[in-house]
Amino acid sequence: MLKKIRIALAAVVFIALTWLFVDFTGTAHHSVAPLAKLQALEAVLALNFLVIAFLAVLTLICGRIYCSVICPLGIMQDIFGKLGMKAKKNRYSFSPEKHWLRYTVLLVFIACWVMGLSAVVQLLAPYSAFGRIATNLLQPVYLLGNNMLAAIAEHYDSYAFYRSDIWLRALPSLIIAVVTLVVLAVLAWRNGRTYCNTICPVGTALSLLSRFSVLKINFDKEKCRNCSLCSKNCKASCIDFKSHTVDYSRCVVCGDCLEVCKFDALHYEPLLLGRGASSTSDKGRRSFLLGAAMLTTAAMAQEKKKVDGGLAEIVDKAAPIRQTPITPPGSLSAENMTKRCTGCQLCISECPNQVLRPSSDLLHIMQPVMSYERGYCRPECNRCSEVCPAGAIKPIHHEDKASLQIGHAVWIKKNCLPLTDGVECGNCARHCPVGAIEMVPSDADDETSPYVPAVNETRCIGCGACENLCPARPFSAIYVEGHEVHKEI
């Protein structure tokens, strides 16, 4: 029964979070986005103490059930592991805990987090790894299916579906997603929860609590016949049938051992004094205190640093070289984005205007940046701020967004059509939502000279409407330069 409940809950969470990443209509985030905020690392980065307390209490009571029910990357590994079990049964065996590797990775992870080396944090964060896989690999498949349905519906004069563009946001992010998927699939296929119990920093942090959980997998030594089926089916390799012990720091409470035991020798219940208590449960009290201290110190350090048609060929727009990248409205500053963003790319997959994409900068790789070749940041849209689970993009209201300056427009004289082609334009001024652009004579002493845009930087909010709608190709005659720190105007 435990395993059936666990699988049912895990299926609901996995399907819901996958839908959240692949959905492009804006439907999913209204009902599913809270699940993203239950992710452990993201809750710590967002300083969501309610969620942190809930996960801590859940682990202290039930053990590392988070890794089997709430973490989508853990659930995905279970799927690959299940496929491996079908290929070869009784494939696992007990192996001792690799303390040196687990805690070294955790220390490196925390150090990189405090020092702002976000690329390392993003590569190791489990929810972010799943997000990259879902955004780069699953969403295009989902969109292809949707576009096929839209084509069929269009044939029958129905508009039940509408097409959505499938495009490559960033090649480095796609490569990382593919490599991550292959590595995790191979590890899970061959050895089950190897990644979770050796590399994953969230799993290691939770293991410090799970050692002291109330509910545990217990041996009834009188009933046990040492058949070894529990060890051979433990995906975490944490059950030693010879000594009748369980390493509770690695057990993810999947229930597989309970299902395969033919002698009713295993039970998930409060650990009674003197009844086959695992020797590993008595270890790590100092590790727990040390780990708690490290996480608290890192959180404190984090808080201190908060701060159109026709027959002519249309040339695609090219992205300008920006001196300062543009971070999404609500991110407060480039520093806040660097410190809190885990690169899960949920905001990128949710952006309806195709403005957000992963950064290709090595120091900030996979973090969202804004670019306006395919659209612009509409003042009435705040979806990215609604779904960010890590506090990298703070919630922002529609009425506040129109007065938030994330950058300013810069005019490039050599690209402007009134000067290069001798035609009237004014597209940028007509479409500026805050009236920050005015058309003025290019020669102040000649009112008949071609009119060119003049930008009022104090009113410009950096939305990119001017850059996106400028007809100049391939480079716009006006583009947005980002601000390190956002400000209200």
PDB file of all heavy atoms in Angstrom, residues 78 117 119 133 184 193 222 238 257 282 402 423 430 433 466 488:
ATOM      1  N   ASP A  78      13.486   7.278 -11.085  1.00  0.00           N
ATOM      2  CA  ASP A  78      12.726   6.070 -10.766  1.00  0.00           C
ATOM      3  C   ASP A  78      12.128   5.444 -12.022  1.00  0.00           C
ATOM      4  O   ASP A  78      12.048   4.218 -12.138  1.00  0.00           O
ATOM      5  CB  ASP A  78      11.606   6.399  -9.764  1.00  0.00           C
ATOM      6  CG  ASP A  78      12.148   6.566  -8.352  1.00  0.00           C
ATOM      7  OD1 ASP A  78      13.305   6.190  -8.113  1.00  0.00           O
ATOM      8  OD2 ASP A  78      11.398   7.068  -7.492  1.00  0.00           O
ATOM      9  N   LEU A 117      29.203  31.749  -7.838  1.00  0.00           N
ATOM     10  CA  LEU A 117      29.531  30.943  -9.031  1.00  0.00           C
ATOM     11  C   LEU A 117      28.289  30.166  -9.435  1.00  0.00           C
ATOM     12  O   LEU A 117      28.141  28.973  -9.186  1.00  0.00           O
ATOM     13  CB  LEU A 117      30.698  30.001  -8.724  1.00  0.00           C
ATOM     14  CG  LEU A 117      31.997  30.685  -8.292  1.00  0.00           C
ATOM     15  CD1 LEU A 117      33.064  29.659  -7.958  1.00  0.00           C
ATOM     16  CD2 LEU A 117      32.489  31.627  -9.396  1.00  0.00           C
ATOM     17  N   ALA A 119      27.025  29.077 -12.194  1.00  0.00           N
ATOM     18  CA  ALA A 119      27.046  27.993 -13.174  1.00  0.00           C
ATOM     19  C   ALA A 119      27.154  26.641 -12.487  1.00  0.00           C
ATOM     20  O   ALA A 119      26.484  25.674 -12.862  1.00  0.00           O
ATOM     21  CB  ALA A 119      28.200  28.191 -14.153  1.00  0.00           C
ATOM     22  N   ILE A 133      15.779  19.906 -18.974  1.00  0.00           N
ATOM     23  CA  ILE A 133      15.361  18.763 -19.803  1.00  0.00           C
ATOM     24  C   ILE A 133      13.950  18.983 -20.334  1.00  0.00           C
ATOM     25  O   ILE A 133      13.677  18.772 -21.525  1.00  0.00           O
ATOM     26  CB  ILE A 133      15.440  17.461 -18.984  1.00  0.00           C
ATOM     27  CG1 ILE A 133      16.894  17.139 -18.660  1.00  0.00           C
ATOM     28  CG2 ILE A 133      14.795  16.300 -19.735  1.00  0.00           C
ATOM     29  CD1 ILE A 133      17.071  16.005 -17.667  1.00  0.00           C
ATOM     30  N   LEU A 184      22.016  10.862 -16.421  1.00  0.00           N
ATOM     31  CA  LEU A 184      21.058  10.421 -15.412  1.00  0.00           C
ATOM     32  C   LEU A 184      20.369   9.126 -15.822  1.00  0.00           C
ATOM     33  O   LEU A 184      20.142   8.238 -14.985  1.00  0.00           O
ATOM     34  CB  LEU A 184      20.013  11.515 -15.172  1.00  0.00           C
ATOM     35  CG  LEU A 184      20.504  12.749 -14.413  1.00  0.00           C
ATOM     36  CD1 LEU A 184      19.406  13.803 -14.367  1.00  0.00           C
ATOM     37  CD2 LEU A 184      20.943  12.395 -13.007  1.00  0.00           C
ATOM     38  N   ARG A 193      19.578   4.947  -7.684  1.00  0.00           N
ATOM     39  CA  ARG A 193      19.676   6.302  -7.141  1.00  0.00           C
ATOM     40  C   ARG A 193      21.124   6.766  -6.912  1.00  0.00           C
ATOM     41  O   ARG A 193      21.400   7.466  -5.929  1.00  0.00           O
ATOM     42  CB  ARG A 193      18.905   6.372  -5.832  1.00  0.00           C
ATOM     43  CG  ARG A 193      17.396   6.317  -5.979  1.00  0.00           C
ATOM     44  CD  ARG A 193      16.865   7.678  -6.389  1.00  0.00           C
ATOM     45  NE  ARG A 193      15.412   7.713  -6.387  1.00  0.00           N
ATOM     46  CZ  ARG A 193      14.693   8.786  -6.088  1.00  0.00           C
ATOM     47  NH1 ARG A 193      15.301   9.902  -5.754  1.00  0.00           N
ATOM     48  NH2 ARG A 193      13.375   8.747  -6.140  1.00  0.00           N
ATOM     49  N   GLU A 222      13.511 -11.926  13.510  1.00  0.00           N
ATOM     50  CA  GLU A 222      12.969 -13.269  13.716  1.00  0.00           C
ATOM     51  C   GLU A 222      12.321 -13.813  12.454  1.00  0.00           C
ATOM     52  O   GLU A 222      12.310 -15.019  12.213  1.00  0.00           O
ATOM     53  CB  GLU A 222      11.975 -13.260  14.868  1.00  0.00           C
ATOM     54  CG  GLU A 222      12.604 -12.922  16.219  1.00  0.00           C
ATOM     55  CD  GLU A 222      11.583 -12.933  17.334  1.00  0.00           C
ATOM     56  OE1 GLU A 222      10.382 -13.145  17.036  1.00  0.00           O
ATOM     57  OE2 GLU A 222      11.975 -12.738  18.497  1.00  0.00           O
ATOM     58  N   CYS A 238      20.950   0.784  -0.039  1.00  0.00           N
ATOM     59  CA  CYS A 238      21.148   1.145   1.358  1.00  0.00           C
ATOM     60  C   CYS A 238      20.738   0.046   2.336  1.00  0.00           C
ATOM     61  O   CYS A 238      20.793   0.254   3.552  1.00  0.00           O
ATOM     62  CB  CYS A 238      20.396   2.437   1.683  1.00  0.00           C
ATOM     63  SG  CYS A 238      18.598   2.291   1.634  1.00  0.00           S
ATOM     64  N   CYS A 257      11.326  -2.503  -1.226  1.00  0.00           N
ATOM     65  CA  CYS A 257      11.754  -3.602  -0.351  1.00  0.00           C
ATOM     66  C   CYS A 257      10.574  -4.237   0.370  1.00  0.00           C
ATOM     67  O   CYS A 257      10.527  -5.461   0.559  1.00  0.00           O
ATOM     68  CB  CYS A 257      12.791  -3.107   0.650  1.00  0.00           C
ATOM     69  SG  CYS A 257      12.231  -1.734   1.679  1.00  0.00           S
ATOM     70  N   ASP A 282      22.753   5.898  14.044  1.00  0.00           N
ATOM     71  CA  ASP A 282      23.404   6.507  15.188  1.00  0.00           C
ATOM     72  C   ASP A 282      24.577   7.390  14.768  1.00  0.00           C
ATOM     73  O   ASP A 282      25.160   8.081  15.596  1.00  0.00           O
ATOM     74  CB  ASP A 282      23.911   5.414  16.138  1.00  0.00           C
ATOM     75  CG  ASP A 282      22.753   4.606  16.725  1.00  0.00           C
ATOM     76  OD1 ASP A 282      21.695   5.208  16.923  1.00  0.00           O
ATOM     77  OD2 ASP A 282      22.929   3.399  16.946  1.00  0.00           O
ATOM     78  N   ALA A 402       4.875  49.056 -15.403  1.00  0.00           N
ATOM     79  CA  ALA A 402       4.997  50.182 -16.333  1.00  0.00           C
ATOM     80  C   ALA A 402       5.900  51.284 -15.798  1.00  0.00           C
ATOM     81  O   ALA A 402       6.300  52.177 -16.550  1.00  0.00           O
ATOM     82  CB  ALA A 402       3.618  50.749 -16.666  1.00  0.00           C
ATOM     83  N   VAL A 423      13.325  57.474 -46.090  1.00  0.00           N
ATOM     84  CA  VAL A 423      11.894  57.224 -45.963  1.00  0.00           C
ATOM     85  C   VAL A 423      11.433  57.639 -44.574  1.00  0.00           C
ATOM     86  O   VAL A 423      12.222  57.700 -43.620  1.00  0.00           O
ATOM     87  CB  VAL A 423      11.545  55.737 -46.195  1.00  0.00           C
ATOM     88  CG1 VAL A 423      11.881  55.340 -47.626  1.00  0.00           C
ATOM     89  CG2 VAL A 423      12.262  54.851 -45.195  1.00  0.00           C
ATOM     90  N   ARG A 430       5.757  55.496 -32.280  1.00  0.00           N
ATOM     91  CA  ARG A 430       4.333  55.156 -32.291  1.00  0.00           C
ATOM     92  C   ARG A 430       4.010  54.025 -31.326  1.00  0.00           C
ATOM     93  O   ARG A 430       2.929  53.974 -30.738  1.00  0.00           O
ATOM     94  CB  ARG A 430       3.902  54.756 -33.706  1.00  0.00           C
ATOM     95  CG  ARG A 430       3.673  55.910 -34.648  1.00  0.00           C
ATOM     96  CD  ARG A 430       2.922  55.460 -35.889  1.00  0.00           C
ATOM     97  NE  ARG A 430       3.654  54.446 -36.638  1.00  0.00           N
ATOM     98  CZ  ARG A 430       4.554  54.720 -37.581  1.00  0.00           C
ATOM     99  NH1 ARG A 430       4.831  55.983 -37.863  1.00  0.00           N
ATOM    100  NH2 ARG A 430       5.171  53.760 -38.221  1.00  0.00           N
ATOM    101  N   PRO A 433       5.162  52.214 -25.311  1.00  0.00           N
ATOM    102  CA  PRO A 433       4.006  52.216 -24.401  1.00  0.00           C
ATOM    103  C   PRO A 433       4.066  53.296 -23.332  1.00  0.00           C
ATOM    104  O   PRO A 433       3.045  53.588 -22.696  1.00  0.00           O
ATOM    105  CB  PRO A 433       4.063  50.816 -23.756  1.00  0.00           C
ATOM    106  CG  PRO A 433       5.495  50.440 -23.812  1.00  0.00           C
ATOM    107  CD  PRO A 433       6.019  51.043 -25.087  1.00  0.00           C
ATOM    108  N   CYS A 466      10.406  49.196 -29.054  1.00  0.00           N
ATOM    109  CA  CYS A 466      11.073  49.946 -30.122  1.00  0.00           C
ATOM    110  C   CYS A 466      12.056  49.067 -30.886  1.00  0.00           C
ATOM    111  O   CYS A 466      12.088  49.061 -32.116  1.00  0.00           O
ATOM    112  CB  CYS A 466      11.773  51.170 -29.547  1.00  0.00           C
ATOM    113  SG  CYS A 466      12.940  50.793 -28.207  1.00  0.00           S
ATOM    114  N   GLU A 488      12.609  52.290  -9.946  1.00  0.00           N
ATOM    115  CA  GLU A 488      11.279  52.799 -10.261  1.00  0.00           C
ATOM    116  C   GLU A 488      11.403  54.222 -10.790  1.00  0.00           C
ATOM    117  O   GLU A 488      12.224  55.006 -10.334  1.00  0.00           O
ATOM    118  CB  GLU A 488      10.387  52.781  -9.013  1.00  0.00           C
ATOM    119  CG  GLU A 488      10.074  51.386  -8.528  1.00  0.00           C
ATOM    120  CD  GLU A 488       9.084  51.390  -7.380  1.00  0.00           C
ATOM    121  OE1 GLU A 488       8.591  52.487  -7.037  1.00  0.00           O
ATOM    122  OE2 GLU A 488       8.827  50.315  -6.832  1.00  0.00           O
TER     123      GLU A 488
END
